[in-house]
Amino acid sequence: MKVKSINLETVCGVTSRLPENSLLEIAFAGRSNVGKSSLINSLAERKSYARTSSQPGKTQTINFYNINEMLYFVDLPGYGYAKVSKNLVAKWGKMINNYLEGSKVLRLVFLLVDIRHTPNSNDIQMYNWCVSYGFNPVIIATKEDKVKRAQREKLLQDIKKTLDVEEGTPVIPFSAVTKSGKDEIWEYIDMVYGNFKDDI
């Protein structure tokens, strides 16, 4: 799918009502500063449509990006950022939970983890949340350009083992710099979009 148009259509804060969309939704989850906005920009072939920041915790809302009037990319708040109150962290968690539980058109979750670091307790919790709501997340190992090629396979296996992923779960190394993994990610999006159209 070639992205001809992208529009930030809905922004939901902790007190907002989630939209009742009829188009397919594909969600992007991950800890703060893992590269969700960079991935969305790369997939959309835009340099800075989704706002990126070196400051963790920048995305504090659920952002719905309308792609080609065909589907939504849903950017979930980054989790695990220490410099916000526990009360706000709890509200973000509830907001993400409500979205995973309540969306009728969410069909795919990409869970982003930094390939350089072993997934932490927040990553494990997010993975388990997704599975508990019936999703089998596709794992995106970001910042692949920052590790040596010889290290990559060991790091990917470490991610699988730590998250205790379901058998056959894809783990895709991705780099926003080299665009490696981008085509493979689009293959999953196109497949899910095709299945969604067949269901409605």
Side-chain angles (χ1 to χ4, degrees):
M1 183 185 296
K2 182 170 180 58
V3 176
K4 296 176 181 176
S5 67
I6 177 172
N7 176 39
L8 178 56
E9 188 172 289
T10 310
V11 176
C12 293
V14 291
T15 59
S16 303
R17 184 184 179 91
L18 291 166
E20 295 183 9
N21 292 321
S22 58
L23 301 178
L24 167 71
E25 293 175 355
I26 292 171
F28 297 79
R31 75 174 88 161
S32 297
N33 220 27
V34 75
K36 294 193 306 304
S37 297
S38 294
L39 173 57
I40 290 171
N41 285 329
S42 177
L43 292 173
E45 296 185 357
R46 303 295 195 274
K47 284 191 175 178
S48 56
Y49 192 89
R51 293 164 74 185
T52 61
S53 174
S54 59
Q55 178 187 349
K58 196 73 175 174
T59 304
Q60 300 180 10
T61 52
I62 300 180
N63 297 334
F64 292 79
Y65 295 94
N66 187 315
I67 306 296
N68 293 348
E69 301 292 331
M70 296 166 68
L71 58 89
Y72 290 97
F73 285 171
V74 184
D75 188 7
L76 300 175
Y79 54 77
Y81 180 48
K83 291 187 180 178
V84 295
S85 70
K86 288 183 178 179
N87 184 41
L88 185 55
V89 168
K91 286 180 179 177
W92 287 355
K94 186 175 181 182
M95 181 164 60
I96 293 170
N97 248 333
N98 288 345
Y99 171 67
L100 292 174
E101 184 178 25
S103 174
K104 294 181 174 63
V105 287
L106 175 63
R107 294 293 184 273
L108 175 63
V109 178
F110 289 116
L111 176 57
L112 281 65
V113 296
D114 189 326
I115 196 171
R116 301 170 297 175
H117 306 298
T118 299
N120 63 19
S121 59
N122 289 311
D123 297 316
I124 294 168
Q125 182 182 42
M126 188 70 222
Y127 177 79
N128 290 334
W129 271 355
C130 292
V131 171
S132 72
Y133 288 122
F135 301 103
N136 190 11
V138 172
I139 312 301
I140 309 294
T142 63
K143 309 189 182 184
E144 184 248 359
D145 58 289
K146 297 184 181 296
V147 300
K148 294 177 181 175
R149 186 172 290 275
Q151 298 175 297
R152 191 174 74 176
E153 191 54 40
K154 180 182 181 300
L155 294 169
L156 293 176
Q157 291 302 322
D158 184 44
I159 289 168
K160 288 183 181 181
K161 184 177 178 182
T162 304
L163 291 177
D164 192 21
V165 298
E166 307 249 332
E167 186 73 27
T169 296
V171 180
I172 303 172
F174 170 77
S175 165
V177 176
T178 68
K179 312 303 182 194
S180 66
K182 178 181 168 183
D183 289 345
E184 194 174 349
I185 293 167
W186 263 118
E187 284 176 14
Y188 281 97
I189 295 171
D190 288 338
M191 179 180 67
V192 170
Y193 177 71
N195 292 339
F196 182 81
K197 279 205 309 177
D198 290 343
D199 286 345
I200 57 176

